[in-house]
Amino acid sequence: MGLTTQILLPGPATAGPCLALTAPISFWGGVDPRSGTIIDQRHPQRGLSVAGTVLALPGTIGSSSASAVLLELVHAGKAPAAILMDAPDAILLLGLVVAREMGWPTPPALRLAAADQAPLDGRRLAIAADGTITLHD
């Protein structure tokens, strides 16, 4: 089975387990930039790590500092392998653009409807450079 996405920020082919969040998150104050662990006390997936996952975001809670947190995650090697967004988030994308300009390996960001994200949770996904998602269970 293959899912087609819209590429928001291209990147290399990648793979990883999908962590489909069940609630929007703010990276600033919600994700530890050193470890990738979700630290927001109110978030249903608190304690899980975004590092190396295909992180599916049904939504984000805006903060201009979110781009800096994502940039720090990339620099620390704790960023998601790829990010799936229900809607483009310019602030998060800015963090990835800056990471790329710094010459750091940057995960691709793709648009995929939240309704299509939820069934992917826990499954191993491969993402081609063209944005096609293939399930590998």
Side-chain angles (χ1 to χ4, degrees):
M1 173 185 166
L3 291 170
T4 302
T5 66
Q6 176 189 4
I7 297 174
L8 301 172
L9 190 68
T14 190
C18 182
L19 174 58
L21 299 185
T22 57
I25 194 164
S26 171
F27 274 68
W28 182 76
V31 178
D32 181 340
R34 293 175 308 269
S35 68
T37 302
I38 297 172
I39 57 173
D40 180 341
Q41 296 292 329
R42 297 171 311 244
H43 199 277
Q45 282 128 325
R46 183 177 69 86
L48 297 180
S49 176
V50 303
T53 68
V54 175
L55 181 62
L57 300 171
T60 54
I61 300 169
S63 168
S64 58
S65 299
S67 58
V69 173
L70 187 52
L71 178 66
E72 289 183 53
L73 287 167
V74 171
H75 185 251
K78 299 297 182 179
I83 299 174
L84 306 176
M85 297 180 185
D86 179 59
D89 182 315
I91 299 293
L92 283 182
L93 292 172
L94 176 63
L96 295 177
V97 169
V98 172
R100 179 172 288 166
E101 288 299 312
M102 299 292 288
W104 300 335
T106 306
L110 311 160
R111 187 174 190 176
L112 184 68
D116 294 329
Q117 294 175 11
L120 302 176
D121 188 49
R123 300 183 79 176
R124 183 156 179 79
L125 307 180
I127 300 176
D130 70 359
T132 302
I133 298 174
T134 307
L135 306 176
H136 290 272
D137 290 310

